[in-house]
Structure formats: C-alpha cells, structure tokens
Amino acid sequence: MTQRNRKLAGILNLHDFEVAARKKLPRPIFGYVYNAAEDRKTYQANRSAFDDYRFVPRTFVNVSSISLETTLFGETHQAPFGIAPMGISAISAYRGDLVLAQAAKHAGIPMILSGASLIPMEEVAASGGTDWFQAYLPGTPDAIEALIRRVKRAGFQNLVVTLDYPVPPNPEHNIRSGFSSPLKPTARLAVDGLLRPRWLLDTFSRTLLRHGMPHFENNYAQRGAPIISRHVARDFSGRSHFDWEYLDLVRRLWPGRLVVKGVLHPEDAVRARDAGVDGIILSNHGGRQLDGSVSPLQVLPRVVADVPDIPIMIDSGFRRGSDVIKALALGASFVFLGRPFNYAAACAGEAGVRHAATLLADEVRRDMALLGVTEIAALGREHLYETSRLASGA
Ligand SMILES: Cc1cc2nc3c(=O)[nH]c(=O)nc-3n(C[C@H](O)[C@H](O)[C@H](O)COP(=O)(O)O)c2cc1C
C-alpha cells in the first residue's frame, strides 16, 4: 500500500478530510478554506437545517439495484452532486483546479471552475475536465463583455455568475490566521509555511519550480495579480453597483447555459428566471458572506414551488449522503459541495478527490436502499417528515 493509499484508508467520511487538511496546510491557507463569516452562525445553520427533516423509510422494496444517475440540462451524471467553484484551489493543492476537474471527470460528476482560480481557464478547459466556468463579473460592461468572449473562446458551455459577493465579507478571521489575497510575503507567512513542510515541498515549491508564481488568471479577460505580492490588492471592489440590468446584459452576451449562484430570496429566483437564466444555485456561499442568513435548504421548498420550470440546484453545508438525499427529496435538481473536495485535493490530490466522491456516492446509495428508493427521480416529499410537526403533534 502506498503512503497515499494508507492515508486515504483512514478517511471514512467527508468530515475526516477536514481533520487531515488541518494537519497538512499552513494556518493561513487552511483558515482561508475553513473560515466562515463572523460568528459562524450561517455555517452552523447550514448543518443544522438538515435536522428539520427526518426520513420516513419504506420497507420490502427491492433495492438490489440502485442508480445514482442524474440528468441535469440533458446531461447524465453518475451522481446527483458536483464540485462547487472554489478560488485559489491551486494553492491548497498542487495544480488544484486541474486535480478537481480531472477527479470530477473520472467520477462522472460536474466541477465548476472558479473565476478566482490560479490556472488559466484555457488550460483547464483543454484538459477536458470541465465545461463549467464561474464568474465574478468585472465592474464595467466592457470588461464583462471581454471576459465572456474569453470564456466562450475557451470552450465552456455553462457559465455560472455568482451574485452574493457585492462586497467582500468581514475579513476578521483571515486577518487572525494571516491570510490575505494576495498573500503578503511576511516572516510570519514564511514560518507558517516552514511549519508545514509537506505542503511546502509537495504543493508550493513544486508549483513555483514547475509553473512559476501563480497569478489570478481568470477574473478578467487578462491575467491578474500574483498570489504573493507586497503591494497589489486583489480587485474585489467595484462590484457594489451591480443590479439586475447586469444580469440582463450577461444574458444578451452569453449564448450558452447561464446559471446564477448565491440566490436565497424566492423573489430573486423569480427575477433571475424571468431574466432568462437556465438554472439557479441556491447558496449562502458556505456561510462565508452574510452571517445570520438563512440556509438554502430552508428556502428550497418555496423556491421550487415559485420557480418550477428550471433546475434549482443547491450548495452550502452538504457533508453526508443523507444531506444530499434530503435536498433532492425537497425538489433540488442537483447538489454541489465546496470545502470537502478542497480538503480532499489538499490531502491527496486527484486520488483524494476521487475518494471523496466515492465515499459520498456510497453514502447516497446506501441511504437510498435504507429508504427504499432505487432511483434519484423517485425521491420526493413523501420520504421526509418535518421535525417541527413532532413538536405540534401533527
Ligand atoms: C475556499 C473556498 C473558495 C470559494 N471560492 C468561491 C468562488 O471563487 N466563487 C464562488 O462562486 N464561490 C466560492 N466559494 C463558495 C463555494 O462555491 C460554495 O458555495 C460553498 O463552498 C458551499 O459550501 P460548503 O463549503 O459548505 O460545501 C468558495 C468556497 C470556499 C470554501
């Protein structure tokens, strides 16, 4: 057994990856992935929202054959979940964006390349790993048009526009852990790196030696700032003036499939559908933006009722197969996960991400059998019991 396989053998669920990544990554890098806004209330609410529902299993159903195949936008995936867009993944894992894309391809699931990624989108697209790109729109119509032209030229079919980043979130945890974007070349950063020699050798030094200093490659039509810089502040400003007209503009410019991410209010979901988007990802950014906001799972039933005609997808807080099943039973068309796949890539590269996808798929399959359901499309409200009814005695 190789060292990597031995390490993975001890990882039995997605939570285990977080423990392993904490040991491998320097404090600021782990903190960047782990952090949630302010008091982590939204992060915790994302997890506890699943407790609002319990399963009502059926017995004596022939569950000897179970299919996880899920069709989204006419494409069949091998599981009902995929990898959410995550910026700077190539600093927590060597060639992180490519690793995530290749592992997703192997697992037959979609992966969304982040606009805040460090490997040129053309290279990731050419690897054949994904045709999903996520954009944080640049601040002016000209820059938006130029970026969309580049995304189109690179060959992406699905454009995800993230709406829940009008301003950067409270940076207090990043300040405490020593993370900034770009990273500042301080003595503290050097010490943090030296304290994690495996990351320093496997990931950081290897990246520098083989590919040079990583840059923000995909926020704009042209290359952005380097990941380590004394002076440059990454341009996350200039987005606070956005309104729905910008989505109308993107819809006019982008002929492919358009998905918006970061919607929570049912009226925003209706507005986005009316603007002609092809799908919506309900999300609170994994609790990384507005602390105290609702969990996407809580608004899911209402959004599905109000917008029944396009796929409603969801992310934020999914860690177990049972979480995925609950969202699907409430009408979600697909589920995305962020942090666990990032940790998995950090711990063991592509093998780690594939292991994560296998663990989660196994949980979904096992739980469907225990629930008495053999295919994803058969999941429905009848399989769930709202725990609030327990209190009312209904
Ligand atoms: C390290 C990290 C980086 C992220 N970067 C982006 C990004 O570039 N674009 C985006 O739309 N969302 C980004 N997100 C949010 C994720 O796409 C997703 O909404 C969130 O991680 C889901 O919650 P989970 O981590 O609890 O699964 C990021 C999340 C993390 C953890």
Side-chain angles (χ1 to χ4, degrees):
M1 209 188 243
T2 64
Q3 200 190 352
R4 177 165 281 184
N5 288 345
R6 252 199 314 277
K7 204 165 36 182
L8 288 177
I11 292 199
L12 305 180
N13 62 41
L14 296 193
H15 297 298
D16 291 344
F17 281 110
E18 180 181 311
V19 179
R22 190 188 284 272
K23 290 184 194 147
K24 167 116 188 231
L25 293 173
R27 204 164 82 107
I29 310 293
F30 176 79
Y32 165 67
V33 182
Y34 170 84
N35 281 341
E38 298 182 351
D39 298 325
R40 295 179 74 81
K41 284 188 183 145
T42 296
Y43 182 86
Q44 283 152 11
N46 287 343
R47 293 296 304 135
S48 61
F50 296 108
D51 299 337
D52 293 348
Y53 299 92
R54 292 190 192 161
F55 292 117
V56 191
R58 301 304 303 264
T59 52
F60 264 146
V61 177
N62 179 349
V63 291
S64 54
S65 169
I66 291 198
S67 170
L68 299 196
E69 280 190 359
T70 308
T71 303
L72 180 64
F73 298 128
E75 236 172 86
T76 302
H77 301 284
Q78 294 309 307
F81 56 81
I83 303 178
M86 282 173 289
I88 324 184
S89 297
I91 204 79
S92 42
Y94 176 69
R95 306 300 275 163
D97 305 299
L98 285 167
V99 155
L100 290 164
Q102 285 307 315
K105 183 181 173 188
H106 188 269
I109 60 173
M111 172 269 184
I112 308 174
L113 177 66
S114 162
S117 45
L118 303 175
I119 297 179
M121 65 170 89
E122 292 77 9
E123 208 177 322
V124 181
S127 78
T130 181
D131 60 4
W132 289 68
F133 179 80
Q134 173 266 331
Y136 287 119
L137 293 179
T140 64
D142 284 353
I144 292 172
E145 189 170 354
L147 176 65
I148 289 181
R149 221 179 301 127
R150 181 180 168 196
V151 175
K152 218 186 300 177
R153 211 178 314 122
F156 290 91
Q157 304 292 324
N158 304 283
L159 175 64
V160 177
V161 174
T162 297
L163 305 185
D164 60 4
Y165 214 112
V167 295
N170 188 334
E172 66 181 75
H173 297 301
N174 285 337
I175 292 170
R176 242 188 268 284
S177 69
F179 181 84
S180 61
S181 172
L183 289 155
K184 301 264 182 318
T186 59
R188 181 179 167 188
L189 183 66
V191 171
D192 281 325
L194 289 168
L195 287 171
R196 289 291 185 273
R198 275 197 304 138
W199 172 84
L200 198 58
L201 288 175
D202 292 358
T203 305
F204 195 59
S205 305
R206 193 144 64 112
T207 302
L208 285 186
L209 283 173
R210 294 193 182 168
H211 312 281
M213 176 64 75
H215 284 60
F216 289 95
E217 297 284 356
N218 302 316
N219 276 316
Y220 301 100
Q222 67 286 346
R223 186 180 225 205
I227 182 70
I228 297 186
S229 168
R230 189 175 298 281
H231 304 295
V232 199
R234 181 154 64 112
D235 179 16
F236 253 144
S237 57
R239 206 172 284 122
S240 56
H241 59 289
F242 282 164
D243 57 22
W244 288 102
E245 282 181 22
Y246 282 82
L247 185 60
D248 297 334
L249 171 70
V250 173
R251 182 64 289 184
R252 283 198 300 278
L253 293 170
W254 174 253
R257 228 167 268 134
L258 178 62
V259 170
V260 285
K261 170 175 182 283
V263 170
L264 289 172
H265 200 296
E267 286 175 18
D268 284 352
V270 170
R271 178 66 181 83
R273 188 270 319 272
D274 292 347
V277 304
D278 300 286
I280 293 172
I281 303 179
L282 300 179
S283 170
N284 59 28
H285 222 100
R288 296 164 76 84
Q289 289 295 101
L290 175 62
D291 200 26
S293 53
V294 289
S295 155
L297 196 83
Q298 292 172 310
V299 297
L300 174 65
R302 171 76 191 280
V303 173
V304 169
D306 290 359
V307 185
D309 42 349
I310 56 172
I312 304 299
M313 299 157 273
I314 188 166
D315 76 19
S316 298
F318 289 79
R319 298 292 180 269
R320 286 286 188 183
S322 58
D323 303 336
V324 173
I325 292 174
K326 284 178 183 175
L328 298 171
L330 289 171
S333 299
F334 217 78
V335 171
F336 287 93
L337 293 89
R339 294 179 186 84
F341 287 121
N342 195 308
Y343 296 141
C347 293
E350 192 180 324
V353 181
R354 277 159 63 167
H355 186 56
T358 301
L359 285 173
L360 190 60
D362 287 349
E363 286 185 5
V364 174
R365 193 176 297 105
R366 187 183 309 113
D367 288 344
M368 281 173 65
L370 293 170
L371 193 55
V373 177
T374 58
E375 45 188 56
I376 296 292
L379 286 165
R381 265 318 262 264
E382 67 276 18
H383 298 109
L384 298 180
Y385 188 90
E386 258 180 88
T387 45
S388 59
R389 289 168 60 195
L390 286 173
S392 68

